Amino acid sequence: MTAITLPTDLIIRAATRDDAQAIIDLYAKVELAETGQSDNTVSDVYELWDGEKLDLANNSCAIFTASGELIGYTGVANTGRGVLLDVHTQVHPAYAELPLADFLLQFADERTRVLLAADDKLPRRLYTWGFTQSNTALFIQHGFTIENSDYRMEVILETEPQQPQPLPGITVRPFIPGKEERAVYDVIAEAFPDIDGKPYRPYEDWYEKVFEKTASFEPSMLYVAVAEDQIVGVTICRVYPDNGEGFIWQVGMRRAWRKRGIANQLLRTALTTYYQRGMKRIMLDVDANNATGAHQLYASIGMHKQSQVDSLVKTF
């Protein structure tokens, strides 16, 4: 592997938790330049580091100028589903003439090989998401391919949203913690393969991701639709009260109960709660090739496409 040389006056070291704000500031600089807005906060950095147990001391790299300005960052973590490249991987656009990206992504490759060598059951893949066109292009340039793409949709709740209309025989309510996790999963596991044709992740992986690794998950906003004494639809939500935003994370319906207005009722229930809690900008991601009618469903509650999110993978 060819060694990549950087100017000797740059400071290269492992990232620390104290660098989180500088990392999100750098990431937001690029995101704002390309999209006009940035959704990320420092809590997103901590959530990823803590949720995926990213070993900063060994598996992260930060590059600073002599004056202490952060101009590049990356990190990787063993997630059990492969190796995750931190989505906040970024280089400062003002230093594009330097091979910062080459250096950081070579570091990521090297640490990925170490993690894969230590766990022979780990899928031989490095994966991440590109939230801007420049990041997607950067990752493709370094050997990644696009696995699939989502549209990020959003609605700004300037006024109180339309109240959900009751449906005969359908009850929408918060789920019951400790009793209904498996039933919620069963709905998601039936619904999501209809989107991408792939088997859904095992229950244990889903539970860990939702209930243990994601600090922004709001259990009181996990809504279920109940019909004939069974859960037939679910909406799982995340909250970011510090910047007045919410994220509708997962929406799923049993096949036999689709096209009855139940998903619309679930979504309007979530929007009403977001509004009441002072969160006005609400987002979600939908597969660009979703053929279940989801695009029309989300448009019906006022959402519109804001950007594209690409899922990328590199095999080893």
Coordinates of all heavy atoms in Angstrom, one line a residue, residues 59-93:
N59 N -9.4 3.5 16.6 CA -10.1 3.4 15.3 C -10.7 4.7 14.8 O -11.6 4.7 14.1 CB -11.3 2.3 15.4 CG -10.7 0.9 15.7 OD1 -9.7 0.6 15.2 ND2 -11.5 0.2 16.4
S60 N -10.0 5.8 15.2 CA -10.4 7.1 14.7 C -9.2 7.9 14.4 O -8.1 7.6 14.9 CB -11.3 7.9 15.7 OG -10.5 8.4 16.8
C61 N -9.4 8.8 13.5 CA -8.2 9.7 13.1 C -8.8 11.1 12.8 O -9.7 11.3 12.1 CB -7.6 9.2 11.8 SG -6.1 10.1 11.2
A62 N -8.1 12.1 13.4 CA -8.5 13.5 13.3 C -7.2 14.2 12.8 O -6.1 14.0 13.3 CB -9.0 14.1 14.6
I63 N -7.4 15.2 11.9 CA -6.3 16.0 11.4 C -6.6 17.5 11.7 O -7.6 18.0 11.4 CB -6.1 15.8 9.9 CG1 -6.0 14.3 9.5 CG2 -5.0 16.6 9.3 CD1 -6.0 14.0 8.0
F64 N -5.6 18.1 12.3 CA -5.7 19.5 12.7 C -4.6 20.3 12.0 O -3.5 19.8 11.8 CB -5.6 19.7 14.2 CG -6.6 18.9 15.0 CD1 -6.5 17.6 15.2 CD2 -7.8 19.6 15.4 CE1 -7.5 16.9 16.0 CE2 -8.7 19.0 16.1 CZ -8.6 17.6 16.4
T65 N -4.9 21.6 11.8 CA -3.8 22.5 11.4 C -3.0 22.9 12.6 O -3.3 22.5 13.8 CB -4.4 23.9 10.9 OG1 -5.1 24.5 11.9 CG2 -5.3 23.6 9.7
A66 N -1.9 23.5 12.4 CA -1.0 23.9 13.5 C -1.7 24.8 14.5 O -1.3 24.9 15.7 CB 0.3 24.6 13.0
S67 N -2.7 25.6 14.0 CA -3.4 26.5 14.9 C -4.6 25.8 15.7 O -5.3 26.4 16.5 CB -4.0 27.6 14.1 OG -4.9 27.2 13.1
G68 N -4.8 24.5 15.4 CA -5.8 23.7 16.1 C -7.1 23.5 15.4 O -8.1 23.0 16.0
E69 N -7.2 24.0 14.1 CA -8.5 23.8 13.4 C -8.6 22.4 12.9 O -7.7 21.9 12.2 CB -8.6 24.8 12.3 CG -9.9 24.7 11.5 CD -9.9 25.6 10.2 OE1 -8.8 26.1 9.9 OE2 -11.0 25.8 9.7
L70 N -9.7 21.8 13.1 CA -10.0 20.4 12.6 C -10.3 20.5 11.1 O -11.1 21.3 10.7 CB -11.2 19.8 13.3 CG -11.6 18.4 12.8 CD1 -10.6 17.4 13.2 CD2 -13.0 18.0 13.2
I71 N -9.5 19.7 10.3 CA -9.7 19.8 8.8 C -10.0 18.4 8.2 O -10.2 18.3 7.0 CB -8.5 20.4 8.1 CG1 -7.2 19.7 8.4 CG2 -8.4 21.9 8.5 CD1 -6.1 20.2 7.6
G72 N -10.1 17.4 9.1 CA -10.4 16.1 8.6 C -10.7 15.1 9.7 O -10.1 15.2 10.8
Y73 N -11.6 14.2 9.5 CA -11.9 13.2 10.5 C -12.5 11.9 9.9 O -13.2 12.0 8.9 CB -13.0 13.7 11.5 CG -13.6 12.6 12.3 CD1 -13.0 12.0 13.4 CD2 -14.9 12.1 12.0 CE1 -13.6 11.0 14.1 CE2 -15.5 11.1 12.7 CZ -14.8 10.5 13.7 OH -15.4 9.4 14.4
T74 N -12.2 10.8 10.5 CA -12.9 9.5 10.2 C -12.8 8.6 11.4 O -12.0 8.8 12.3 CB -12.3 8.8 9.0 OG1 -13.2 7.9 8.5 CG2 -11.0 8.2 9.2
G75 N -13.6 7.6 11.4 CA -13.6 6.5 12.4 C -14.4 5.3 11.9 O -15.2 5.4 11.0
V76 N -14.0 4.1 12.5 CA -14.7 2.9 12.1 C -15.1 2.1 13.3 O -14.4 2.2 14.4 CB -13.9 2.0 11.1 CG1 -13.6 2.7 9.8 CG2 -12.5 1.6 11.8
A77 N -16.1 1.3 13.2 CA -16.6 0.5 14.3 C -17.1 -0.9 13.9 O -17.8 -0.9 12.8 CB -17.6 1.2 15.2
N78 N -16.9 -1.9 14.6 CA -17.5 -3.2 14.4 C -18.9 -3.2 14.9 O -19.1 -3.0 16.1 CB -16.7 -4.3 15.1 CG -17.3 -5.7 15.0 OD1 -18.4 -5.9 14.6 ND2 -16.5 -6.7 15.3
T79 N -19.9 -3.4 14.0 CA -21.3 -3.3 14.4 C -21.9 -4.7 14.4 O -23.1 -4.8 14.7 CB -22.1 -2.4 13.4 OG1 -22.1 -3.0 12.1 CG2 -21.5 -1.0 13.4
G80 N -21.2 -5.7 14.1 CA -21.8 -7.0 13.9 C -22.4 -7.3 12.6 O -22.6 -8.4 12.2
R81 N -22.7 -6.2 11.8 CA -23.2 -6.3 10.5 C -22.1 -6.0 9.4 O -22.4 -5.8 8.3 CB -24.4 -5.4 10.3 CG -25.6 -5.7 11.3 CD -26.8 -4.9 11.0 NE -26.5 -3.4 11.1 CZ -26.4 -2.8 12.3 NH1 -26.5 -3.5 13.4 NH2 -26.1 -1.5 12.3
G82 N -20.9 -5.8 9.9 CA -19.8 -5.4 9.1 C -19.1 -4.3 9.9 O -19.2 -4.2 11.1
V83 N -18.3 -3.5 9.2 CA -17.6 -2.4 9.8 C -18.2 -1.1 9.3 O -18.4 -0.9 8.1 CB -16.1 -2.4 9.5 CG1 -15.4 -1.2 10.1 CG2 -15.4 -3.7 10.0
L84 N -18.6 -0.3 10.3 CA -19.3 1.0 9.9 C -18.2 2.1 9.8 O -17.4 2.3 10.7 CB -20.3 1.4 11.0 CG -20.9 2.8 10.9 CD1 -21.7 3.0 9.7 CD2 -21.6 3.2 12.2
L85 N -18.2 2.8 8.7 CA -17.5 4.0 8.5 C -18.3 5.2 9.1 O -19.4 5.4 8.6 CB -17.1 4.3 7.1 CG -16.4 5.6 6.7 CD1 -14.9 5.5 7.2 CD2 -16.4 5.9 5.2
D86 N -17.8 5.9 10.1 CA -18.5 7.0 10.7 C -19.1 7.9 9.6 O -18.4 8.4 8.8 CB -17.6 7.7 11.6 CG -18.4 8.7 12.5 OD1 -19.5 9.2 12.2 OD2 -17.8 9.0 13.6
V87 N -20.4 8.1 9.7 CA -21.0 9.0 8.7 C -20.6 10.4 8.7 O -20.8 11.2 7.8 CB -22.6 8.9 8.8 CG1 -23.1 7.5 8.5 CG2 -23.0 9.5 10.2
H88 N -19.9 10.8 9.8 CA -19.4 12.2 9.9 C -18.0 12.3 9.4 O -17.3 13.3 9.6 CB -19.4 12.6 11.4 CG -20.8 12.5 12.0 ND1 -21.1 11.5 12.9 CD2 -21.9 13.3 11.8 CE1 -22.4 11.7 13.2 NE2 -22.9 12.7 12.6
T89 N -17.5 11.3 8.7 CA -16.2 11.4 8.0 C -16.3 12.5 7.0 O -17.2 12.7 6.2 CB -16.0 10.1 7.2 OG1 -15.8 9.0 8.1 CG2 -14.7 10.2 6.3
Q90 N -15.3 13.4 7.1 CA -15.3 14.7 6.3 C -14.0 15.3 6.2 O -13.1 15.1 7.1 CB -16.3 15.6 7.0 CG -16.7 16.8 6.1 CD -17.3 16.4 4.8 OE1 -16.6 16.3 3.8 NE2 -18.6 16.2 4.8
V91 N -13.7 16.1 5.2 CA -12.5 16.9 5.0 C -13.0 18.3 4.7 O -14.0 18.5 4.1 CB -11.6 16.3 3.9 CG1 -11.1 14.9 4.3 CG2 -12.3 16.3 2.6
H92 N -12.1 19.2 5.2 CA -12.4 20.6 5.0 C -12.3 21.0 3.5 O -11.2 20.8 2.9 CB -11.5 21.5 5.9 CG -12.0 22.9 6.1 ND1 -12.2 23.8 5.1 CD2 -12.3 23.5 7.3 CE1 -12.6 24.9 5.6 NE2 -12.7 24.8 6.9
P93 N -13.3 21.6 2.9 CA -13.2 21.9 1.5 C -12.1 22.9 1.1 O -11.6 23.0 0.0 CB -14.6 22.5 1.1 CG -15.2 22.9 2.4 CD -14.6 22.0 3.5

